[in-house]
Amino acid sequence: MSLHSKKIILAISGSIAAYKAAFLCRLLIKQGAEVKVVMTKAATQFISALTLSTLSKSKVHIDIMDDDSWNNHVELGLWADLIIIAPATANTLSKMVSGQADNMLLAVYLSAKCPVMFAPAMDLDMWKHPSTKNNLQALKEYGNILIDVESGELASGLVGDGRMAEPINIVRYIKEHFNKSQRLKSKVALVTAGPTHEALDPVRFLGNKSSGKMGIALAEALYEEGAEVHLILGPSNHRPQHEGIILKPVKSAQEMFDACHEIFEKCDIAIMAAAVADYRPTSISDQKIKKKEGDLNIELERTPDIAASLGKIKNKQVLVGFALETNNEEANAKRKLEKKNFDFIVLNSMQDKNATFGHDTNKVTIYTDRGEILPYELKSKKEVAFDIIDQTLKYLA
Ligand code: C5P
């Protein structure tokens, strides 16, 4: 696969490895990519902008302001299919984590909607430092893709980890990335996410603590793999980062049920990541319920089980469920797998303090209808999403 017509921003920060960015630029162009270069001021001390503008046949962006004009970082960020930050210095990594935007490279990074890869380069001890490790972890959790350093002789004369990956290896990663994103081309996916709110009166509801982050990460990952994605999202403060995801905000379980049934037939994949309320008030008061002496009893009825209803009518669709259990985890997950006719179910562990509600990480075990039990490490929700997609692909016709 070539990189024909792929729009790539090559972002260069100030490390001795910046000279390799010229080779990287040349390789990307040779593969058919359209390349625009963004550099920090420090990078221009290692390699000239003229070299990069000649290789990329395009103006190199260094300052947010040029004499009397303003460089549009938002436009650049939106133009790209991919940003590769190579070399990424310890300083740039740290600023990316904290969201600083004091140069063009960082402003483009913050404005970008496309996947971001970064290839760090730094000295051995800087690489080993706990703050660098924390920054790498945070960047991965934001969904950025790390191209790991290589080992060898460093500019300091020391030998060890910290060398920027060789340009040829970076190109290999980039090609793999674009290859991967074709895996769900022409597939249609439905994802439910977030909590539901079941109204009691005009101002009150029954709800739960779901943030919607896992389902949103799934929608983003499915979209990045090329699928048409319909995200049916309950009340959540979060939104997916890709504008191409078809978002349907809903409030109640009934609204979520209706939205799912409207599109299920044309779907190839349906992933039920929402924490749907199991009960709702039997009646919704037209007016705010007033305080009175004594207790108040609320009568509840069952909400429709969306997943089970789709499980009954599914034909070609791969149907994936989630289970959040506090006890008898395995038995409960397996029971739901069968009862709701899922192809596989993703069990969230409540045992790990960094997993489940509100966190950016999750630890899951997948139980399949083929009898497999697949435990995974604690990972970012985006990485978990890709594990779920890998599993889904095994079921797609
Ligand atoms: O039965 P339980 O709520 O634990 O099942 C969890 C799975 O079923 C999740 O995939 C959830 O999204 C789905 N579900 C649903 N509609 C409901 C309840 C759960 O789709 N009313």
Side-chain angles (χ1 to χ4, degrees):
M1 180 215 174
S2 78
L3 294 173
H4 181 68
S5 78
K6 295 285 183 258
K7 298 189 178 83
I8 299 178
I9 290 180
L10 170 58
I12 311 171
S13 58
S15 146
I16 179 67
Y19 81 90
K20 291 193 200 170
F23 295 97
L24 178 56
C25 181
R26 203 166 148 263
L27 287 173
L28 292 171
I29 302 262
K30 263 181 106 176
Q31 292 286 327
E34 212 180 310
V35 179
K36 290 194 179 174
V37 177
V38 181
M39 298 172 82
T40 62
K41 276 220 169 65
T44 62
Q45 296 188 300
F46 292 96
I47 184 163
S48 84
L50 185 61
T51 306
L52 273 316
S53 68
T54 310
L55 289 172
S56 66
K57 299 183 188 69
S58 178
K59 174 181 151 63
V60 170
H61 301 267
I62 301 166
D63 294 306
I64 297 184
M65 301 290 189
D66 267 349
D67 301 329
D68 57 354
S69 67
W70 173 71
N71 280 318
N72 193 337
H73 53 87
V74 178
E75 215 169 72
L76 252 186
L78 294 180
W79 169 84
D81 295 317
L82 176 83
I83 295 183
I84 166 73
I85 306 176
T89 60
N91 188 40
T92 293
L93 295 184
S94 159
K95 287 179 171 182
M96 284 161 69
V97 171
S98 58
Q100 291 185 60
D102 61 1
N103 63 37
M104 187 65 177
L105 184 153
L106 293 163
V108 170
Y109 162 72
L110 282 176
S111 319
K113 299 241 184 221
C114 62
V116 176
M117 290 184 166
F118 63 105
M122 65 193 76
D123 201 46
L124 176 74
D125 293 309
M126 292 170 88
W127 177 249
K128 277 194 201 145
H129 199 280
S131 27
T132 304
K133 295 290 170 231
N134 284 340
N135 288 340
L136 292 175
Q137 185 57 31
L139 289 173
K140 283 197 275 181
E141 278 166 23
Y142 297 164
N144 301 307
I145 305 158
L146 166 70
I147 301 181
D148 218 345
V149 296
E150 292 176 5
S151 201
E153 191 176 338
L154 300 159
S156 61
L158 297 171
V159 175
D161 289 342
R163 283 166 66 99
M164 186 178 91
E166 286 303 320
I168 193 147
N169 292 336
I170 296 179
V171 172
R172 190 170 45 79
Y173 271 106
I174 292 175
K175 286 169 92 175
E176 268 171 21
H177 165 80
F178 282 115
N179 239 339
K180 202 173 158 198
S181 55
Q182 305 300 311
R183 293 193 301 178
L184 294 175
K185 246 203 146 74
S186 77
K187 298 288 180 206
V188 181
L190 155 69
V191 180
T192 66
T196 64
H197 286 178
E198 308 302 328
L200 196 54
D201 69 16
V203 293
R204 302 187 180 96
F205 58 82
L206 299 179
N208 61 64
K209 289 185 187 169
S210 169
S211 64
K213 284 182 180 175
M214 187 63 238
I216 290 173
L218 271 161
E220 287 174 352
L222 289 160
Y223 183 78
E224 286 164 24
E225 295 277 11
E228 173 186 314
V229 182
H230 298 257
L231 173 63
I232 318 285
L233 181 62
S236 161
N237 293 327
H238 304 279
R239 287 289 177 270
Q241 52 168 306
H242 305 301
E243 276 169 14
I245 292 173
I246 303 156
L247 177 68
K248 168 95 181 155
V250 294
K251 288 203 178 74
S252 64
Q254 188 61 51
E255 282 176 24
M256 192 175 271
F257 178 96
D258 294 341
C260 287
H261 278 270
E262 212 168 284
I263 55 157
F264 183 68
E265 203 184 308
K266 72 164 188 168
C267 292
D268 303 285
I269 302 165
I271 306 185
M272 308 278 100
V276 186
D278 290 325
Y279 293 93
R280 65 187 170 201
T282 316
S283 61
I284 306 174
S285 167
D286 292 342
Q287 277 156 15
K288 190 177 162 198
I289 300 167
K290 292 274 174 264
K291 260 201 296 291
K292 291 195 201 119
E293 284 302 315
D295 298 335
L296 172 71
N297 290 312
I298 300 167
E299 199 184 323
L300 301 176
E301 64 183 14
R302 288 291 297 269
T303 54
D305 191 318
I306 304 163
S309 70
L310 299 180
K312 282 201 184 100
I313 58 169
K314 81 168 185 188
N315 45 66
K316 61 171 181 174
Q317 293 88 352
V318 180
L319 185 62
V320 180
F322 272 76
L324 177 68
E325 306 294 335
T326 51
N327 55 312
N328 289 338
E329 295 186 325
E330 182 166 336
N332 282 328
K334 284 182 172 164
R335 187 174 48 76
K336 282 176 196 170
L337 172 73
E338 210 179 299
K339 193 170 151 220
K340 305 198 190 203
N341 199 16
F342 289 134
D343 291 273
F344 63 91
I345 192 162
V346 184
L347 172 70
N348 287 291
S349 169
M350 288 288 280
Q351 318 291 3
D352 198 300
K353 67 175 171 42
N354 291 318
T356 73
F357 286 145
H359 288 287
D360 293 321
T361 46
N362 205 359
K363 189 170 188 314
V364 303
T365 305
I366 291 180
Y367 295 86
T368 74
D369 68 346
R370 299 167 180 171
E372 296 143 311
I373 302 176
L374 311 164
Y376 294 84
E377 300 293 309
L378 182 72
K379 296 179 178 193
S380 74
K381 287 188 171 171
K382 194 68 173 279
E383 288 173 291
V384 172
F386 280 108
D387 287 337
I388 292 170
I389 291 176
D390 287 345
Q391 192 57 37
T392 305
L393 277 160
K394 294 184 192 157
Y395 280 83
L396 275 174

